[in-house]
Coordinates of all heavy atoms in Angstrom, one line a residue:
T1426 N 57.9 -26.5 -37.0 CA 58.3 -27.7 -37.9 C 59.7 -28.2 -37.4 O 59.9 -29.4 -37.3 CB 58.4 -27.3 -39.3 OG1 57.1 -26.9 -39.8 CG2 58.9 -28.4 -40.2
E1711 N 76.8 -5.9 -49.1 CA 77.4 -5.8 -50.4 C 78.6 -6.7 -50.6 O 79.0 -7.1 -51.7 CB 77.7 -4.4 -50.8 CG 76.5 -3.4 -50.8 CD 75.6 -3.6 -52.0 OE1 76.1 -4.3 -53.0 OE2 74.5 -3.1 -52.1
E1748 N 79.8 -21.4 -61.1 CA 81.1 -20.6 -61.1 C 82.2 -21.3 -60.3 O 83.3 -20.8 -60.4 CB 80.8 -19.3 -60.5 CG 79.8 -18.4 -61.4 CD 79.6 -17.0 -60.8 OE1 80.4 -16.6 -60.0 OE2 78.6 -16.4 -61.2

Side-chain angles (χ1 to χ4, degrees):
T1426 298
E1711 298 286 348
E1748 295 181 19

